[in-house]
Amino acid sequence: MSFPMFRLAHLSDPHIGPLPKPRWRELIGKRATGYINWRQGGRSRAHDMQALSSLVADMRAHGPDHVAMTGDICNIGLPGEFPLAAQWLGTLGSPSEVSLAPGNHDVYLRSSVKHMTRELSPWMRGDDGAQVFPYLRRRDGVAIIGLCSGVPTLPFVAAGKLGASQLMRLEKLLGDTRDEIRVVLLHHPPVDGGGGIRNLGDHRALAEILSREGAELVLHGHSHAISRKSLPGPQGPIPVLGICSASSIGRSPRRRAAYYLIDIDAKGRRLIFTARQLGAAGQFQTISL
């Protein structure tokens, strides 16, 4: 079967704002510290919604066939954040055109999970309609596999974890789709981890599965920086791409709002990576990786 060139866009960590006004009873424990950090710690000023709107417009102008969103749409997992998150996801495309891998700010507390599932499940479902991670979506010779590394944690801890059941299912999905271009989505970086307060706790178990079953590309967010690394695979290195926050206006060029365009030739098993980033003049431009 022959497939046309498939264009995938990747963005992450929009941290959309402003925050809806919380009830006092919602500001308990970790959420209280997160709210203070948003209001007084500079996070609200670091994420600019005009920059985010410009990024989405620039991305859509390049006509992606599918969009990969690797989490942290929300900030402190308030119930009121999730309808806004669903509304924003709709600006990227329909649920069949956008795949979401949730982040730690989306799964901020245990109570956040039910709100996330209720509002965002259309973007986190496989082609079989099941709401289970990892999910599988097949598009023109490309197998998109979405994981959830976000888990509720203690205050000041942003670590992630996949868990045994996700890893077991991932291994099977990778084996079942080895004739396709397999793109794995997760929020936390699967490289340079160590179980620390910001890392993926079971990154070694994930790396072992990828070394056995392989994948053609891994996309992640969380670090708010552009990065291109790799993990060992059975047929050679697997590219691992990280991207900046989609709304960041940080002074460091490495951390300004950005996204990837990935052109995939499924028949020729070839991938072409392009990064687009917010420039000093306020326009998005192609940058070298």
Side-chain angles (χ1 to χ4, degrees):
M1 183 180 293
S2 178
F3 296 106
M5 190 74 86
F6 183 86
R7 173 163 281 186
L8 178 68
H10 171 221
L11 67 159
S12 196
D13 298 81
H15 290 284
I16 61 173
L19 276 178
K21 187 174 182 179
R23 298 183 178 93
W24 284 112
R25 60 185 174 83
E26 293 173 337
L27 296 179
I28 298 173
K30 179 176 181 175
R31 197 179 271 153
T33 58
Y35 185 69
I36 292 170
N37 189 33
W38 173 266
R39 291 291 300 271
Q40 301 177 10
R43 183 175 286 273
S44 62
R45 296 186 297 277
H47 296 284
D48 183 86
M49 296 304 103
Q50 183 56 53
L52 178 61
S53 295
S54 297
L55 182 145
V56 172
D58 190 83
M59 179 196 74
R60 290 183 66 89
H62 284 81
D65 297 293
H66 201 84
V67 178
M69 226 305 292
T70 51
D72 277 5
I73 306 176
C74 298
N75 295 286
I76 56 175
L78 287 167
E81 289 188 82
F82 292 99
L84 298 175
Q87 184 179 15
W88 179 78
L89 279 170
T91 69
L92 305 182
S94 69
S96 66
E97 298 169 325
V98 181
S99 294
L100 170 63
N104 53 292
H105 283 267
D106 305 315
V107 190
Y108 207 69
L109 299 176
R110 292 184 188 277
S111 61
S112 303
V113 176
K114 66 177 181 180
H115 298 288
M116 180 186 74
T117 302
R118 184 181 65 212
E119 298 289 345
L120 307 186
S121 62
W123 290 272
M124 304 185 297
R125 259 189 219 128
D127 291 336
D128 59 4
Q131 181 63 71
V132 61
F133 292 105
Y135 61 79
L136 171 64
R137 293 175 162 191
R138 287 175 147 136
R139 304 288 187 272
D140 295 336
V142 179
I144 300 165
I145 300 174
L147 293 157
C148 179
S149 62
V151 291
T153 60
L154 295 172
F156 309 110
V157 176
K161 186 176 181 180
L162 296 171
S165 62
Q166 276 200 83
L167 290 168
M168 185 181 302
R169 181 172 165 81
L170 172 64
E171 186 160 16
K172 183 178 186 306
L173 289 179
L174 290 172
D176 291 345
T177 56
R178 62 169 56 95
D179 293 332
E180 301 165 66
I181 299 294
R182 298 160 295 178
V183 181
V184 178
L185 313 180
L186 76 165
H187 180 68
H188 290 79
V191 291
D192 293 345
I197 63 171
R198 290 186 56 80
N199 296 322
L200 182 67
D202 43 10
H203 70 282
R204 293 187 179 90
L206 173 60
E208 288 174 6
I209 289 170
L210 291 171
S211 70
R212 290 194 300 269
E213 295 295 338
E216 282 60 57
L217 180 62
V218 178
L219 300 175
H220 72 85
H222 192 60
S223 57
H224 290 204
I226 289 181
S227 64
R228 183 173 177 178
K229 299 182 180 180
S230 65
L231 285 169
Q235 305 299 324
I238 300 169
V240 177
L241 301 184
I243 195 63
C244 306
S245 160
S247 60
S248 174
I249 53 171
R251 293 181 180 178
S252 169
R254 185 168 168 265
R255 292 184 174 272
R256 288 191 195 123
Y259 69 97
Y260 283 114
L261 291 171
I262 302 148
D263 290 308
I264 302 172
D265 176 5
K267 184 179 180 181
R269 301 190 72 80
R270 187 169 60 102
L271 291 83
I272 302 168
F273 308 120
T274 302
R276 299 273 297 170
Q277 188 167 41
L278 182 66
Q283 302 294 320
F284 280 83
Q285 57 197 18
T286 300
I287 62 168
S288 58
L289 297 174

